Amino acid sequence: MVVPQAESRAQRRRGRWQPRLDRPALVALILGVLGVGYRLYLVLNTVPVANSDEATFGLAALHIAQGREHPVFLYGQRYMGMLQSYLAAPLLAVTGPSWPALRLPVLALYALFLWLIHRLTRRIGSPWFATAIVGLLALGSERVIRDQVTTVGGRPEVKVAVLVMLLIVVGLARGTVRHRRWAVGGFGLLAGLALWSDWLIAPYLAVAGAALLWVLRRELLGGAGLLLVVGFGVGIAPMIRDNLVAPAGQDSLSVLGRISGAQGPSPMWGQRLDGGLLEGVPLAAGLCPMTGCAGWQEWFGLLYPVLLVVAAVLAGLAYRRRVGRGERVVAVVHLALLVGAAATLLAYVRSSLAATDPLGNARYLSVLQLSLPAVLWPLWVAAVACARGTVGAAGRLVGALATALLAALAATSLVVTVLFATVGAAPGRVQERESRQLADTVRAAGLREVYGEYWTCNRLVFNTGEQVVCGVLDGELHPGQNRYPAYWWRLARAARPGYVLEAGGSADRRLRELLGEGADAALLAEVGGFRVYHPPTPLRPWR
């Protein structure tokens, strides 16, 4: 397991060098172990509950492990990289279809993220501040945990990549990196891999690149610049290759252009700001349950842009006061993290998703965790100065307020975490158990080809290890979003497919309408809110 970094001293004991953690690092280690252990418990119990999006990554991992497929992007979607499926493939090759095995590599990425952000925060902040950041990130509401342990692509690995890139920048500025050119090549490789994996990280890649340019300047005109380009090319090569062979209009840029330019009613800016700031930021920070933020939990959304501005001003002043790259790199990294957060937040607020479905789309702000050390640094500095009594009356007032805000942030995160761990996770466990019962029922009935709805199909296929395949239908029993076409074509050849539909849903009502008096006779079972049908003759109304 990955442990938090200790800027530790090495002591010679009994002829061996043994590292000794200082007190802040030891506390950070304990907090990190607790955070990873909490998530490991949830992973082993398949909490949060799995869904068909995650199942698609799992099916891709099974196909990779079997040598059947080597996907570049998520099936049916040419912009989300499949790195998590490749990481899970060796485990699934041993265990077969297993939700915990699918999620363990993502959990390892979270542990690595904790270690790296601790290292970076110690370098650009202070030891105890780094410990506090680890403590906050060890907590986790359902929204936060879902982004950190479920295999839904992109965000866990790109956060790790950005932290390594920024640590390379700091090391290059301070002269602690031995092989500078190879480090720059590694920087480029990580940038390419991150961009392939998840385009959401683009703002952070841009500011990390700007920080690297500030550090190296003329060095990039030589061999270091060449290795940077080569590394980036190798990292992004899967995306380039796939786009070169993609059908017209199916390349990544075209697909993303259609998604971002989708037509629909344009929400007012007040709605965007309400959904993006007051809902999105607290949800992404782990201050609210999945059901949404109460009024008293929205304070961090209002405070966040203020902290961005204050932290940017302080970083600018620190840059002017300090001399030399080794000293100024701290302010540069702070500014990079702040600009990355601001750009990410602005892009999200500009999207209509922030207004139309803030609860479902707050996941796009999970990368803001990268900027937590820079955003909270002004509060920490003010609180420490107040505690040490090194400021006047005004400073003590500001410090007391900063201390109260940090305490409120930690307390709210802790309360929401405890509520999820003790109460909020129970419905998910029930739903997961019913999902497995549904898979067992379908197999026991002898069904091998069934039609179902999107959030049923690939999850059912994964739970049965592809013993049962499923074709996606919409509410009118017409073809839906079939991410893996091979399943749909197999259903097209099936002589007598079954149906697995949500009881009482629009698709269920439509099927019963078509079956007429034979609906009850075709009903095999009802499990966990789903109905399993096996009509005597196939029903394909789209034909």
Side-chain angles (χ1 to χ4, degrees):
M1 190 189 75
V2 182
V3 299
Q5 165 72 9
E7 302 288 335
S8 58
R9 300 178 296 277
Q11 286 191 334
R12 198 172 189 81
R13 293 183 179 178
R14 299 179 183 177
R16 296 181 180 179
W17 287 98
Q18 296 181 354
R20 188 178 71 184
L21 301 178
D22 58 21
R23 187 173 297 175
L26 180 60
V27 176
L29 171 63
I30 294 171
L31 294 173
V33 169
L34 291 174
V36 174
Y38 164 50
R39 286 158 177 80
L40 177 60
Y41 172 78
L42 296 177
V43 164
L44 295 177
N45 287 276
T46 317
V47 176
V49 65
N51 60 35
S52 277
D53 279 347
E54 187 174 15
T56 305
F57 280 91
L59 291 168
L62 285 175
H63 298 164
I64 293 166
Q66 296 162 0
R68 293 164 49 189
E69 304 273 1
H70 296 91
V72 173
F73 295 112
L74 181 64
Y75 293 147
Q77 181 175 296
R78 300 188 98 101
Y79 62 88
M80 178 69 75
M82 298 297 285
L83 183 57
Q84 291 180 14
S85 292
Y86 283 94
L87 293 175
L91 289 177
L92 295 188
V94 176
T95 65
S98 162
W99 296 110
L102 180 62
R103 292 178 174 185
L104 281 176
V106 185
L107 177 63
L109 288 171
Y110 164 76
L112 184 57
F113 167 73
L114 275 190
W115 176 53
L116 291 170
I117 203 166
H118 182 265
R119 291 191 65 175
L120 181 66
T121 306
R122 284 189 72 129
R123 283 158 173 73
I124 66 171
S126 68
W128 279 114
F129 181 54
T131 301
I133 293 296
V134 170
L136 285 174
L137 292 173
L139 300 171
S141 64
E142 183 176 1
R143 171 72 276 156
V144 169
I145 294 293
R146 183 171 290 279
D147 289 325
Q148 291 173 341
V149 304
T150 58
T151 306
V152 290
R155 292 174 290 277
E157 60 265 37
V158 298
K159 289 190 290 187
V160 166
V162 169
L163 289 174
V164 175
M165 291 163 66
L166 291 175
L167 283 167
I168 289 174
V169 167
V170 174
L172 290 171
R174 292 179 173 172
T176 58
V177 175
R178 288 186 180 181
H179 306 289
R180 295 174 67 85
R181 292 183 177 181
W182 289 110
V184 174
F187 184 103
L189 177 65
L190 289 170
L193 285 172
L195 194 59
W196 162 48
S197 191
D198 194 340
W199 286 64
L200 286 174
I201 203 63
Y204 282 94
L205 297 182
V207 295
L212 180 71
L213 180 63
W214 174 84
V215 171
L216 295 185
R217 301 176 186 177
R218 294 181 181 179
E219 286 184 61
L220 289 178
L221 298 176
L226 178 62
L227 285 174
L228 177 68
V229 173
V230 171
F232 182 79
V234 172
I236 205 171
M239 176 191 291
I240 295 175
R241 180 186 178 279
D242 187 87
N243 283 326
L244 289 175
V245 301
Q250 292 300 311
D251 58 282
S252 300
L253 288 175
S254 298
V255 173
L256 285 170
R258 286 196 299 271
I259 293 173
S260 60
Q263 297 297 318
S266 180
M268 300 293 290
W269 269 99
Q271 294 174 291
R272 297 170 190 259
L273 291 172
D274 182 74
L277 285 177
L278 300 186
E279 286 276 358
V281 171
L283 275 166
L287 303 179
C288 310
M290 285 284 285
T291 52
C293 298
W296 65 272
Q297 293 170 313
E298 294 178 348
W299 62 271
F300 190 64
L302 289 172
L303 180 65
Y304 198 84
V306 177
L307 289 176
L308 286 177
V309 173
V310 172
V313 171
L314 291 180
L317 293 174
Y319 183 87
R320 295 186 62 182
R321 286 197 303 266
R322 298 184 182 187
V323 178
R325 294 184 194 176
E327 291 295 322
R328 283 181 163 179
V329 72
V330 171
V332 168
V333 172
H334 271 266
L335 286 170
L337 291 173
L338 294 168
V339 173
T344 298
L345 188 56
L346 178 61
Y348 179 67
V349 170
R350 288 183 62 188
S351 168
S352 61
L353 296 176
T356 57
D357 186 15
L359 300 183
N361 294 293
R363 63 186 186 276
Y364 296 127
L365 294 178
S366 67
V367 293
L368 293 182
Q369 289 179 341
L370 287 166
S371 298
L372 199 62
V375 172
L376 297 184
W377 180 241
L379 294 178
W380 181 266
V381 170
V384 169
C386 176
R388 291 176 176 173
T390 57
V391 290
R396 286 196 298 273
L397 180 61
V398 172
L401 177 61
T403 303
L405 290 174
L406 288 172
L409 182 64
T412 305
S413 299
L414 180 61
V415 169
V416 175
T417 298
V418 171
L419 287 175
F420 170 61
T422 57
V423 180
R429 293 193 186 96
V430 173
Q431 193 179 78
E432 186 61 36
R433 184 168 62 251
E434 291 174 345
S435 174
R436 295 177 187 276
Q437 290 173 351
L438 177 64
D440 293 339
T441 299
V442 173
R443 272 187 302 205
L447 297 176
R448 293 298 176 263
E449 295 92 12
V450 299
Y451 288 107
E453 294 145 300
Y454 179 81
W455 294 111
T456 305
C457 265
N458 279 4
R459 187 178 176 192
L460 175 64
V461 177
F462 186 77
N463 277 336
T464 62
E466 292 190 298
Q467 294 179 29
V468 177
V469 299
C470 186
V472 178
L473 301 176
D474 64 15
E476 294 298 317
L477 300 187
H478 292 159
Q481 186 181 12
N482 284 277
R483 290 192 175 276
Y484 192 59
Y487 297 152
W488 180 259
W489 298 122
R490 179 172 159 182
L491 263 294
R493 298 189 298 269
R496 191 186 168 198
Y499 290 80
V500 179
L501 305 174
E502 184 179 356
S506 56
D508 180 46
R509 293 195 302 270
R510 177 59 176 155
L511 179 64
R512 295 186 70 86
E513 177 185 327
L514 292 173
L515 290 173
E517 295 180 356
D520 290 336
L523 179 63
L524 297 184
E526 189 164 349
V527 182
F530 290 88
R531 288 173 179 161
V532 181
Y533 296 91
H534 197 199
T537 56
L539 289 172
R540 297 182 174 100
W542 60 92
R543 293 183 178 178

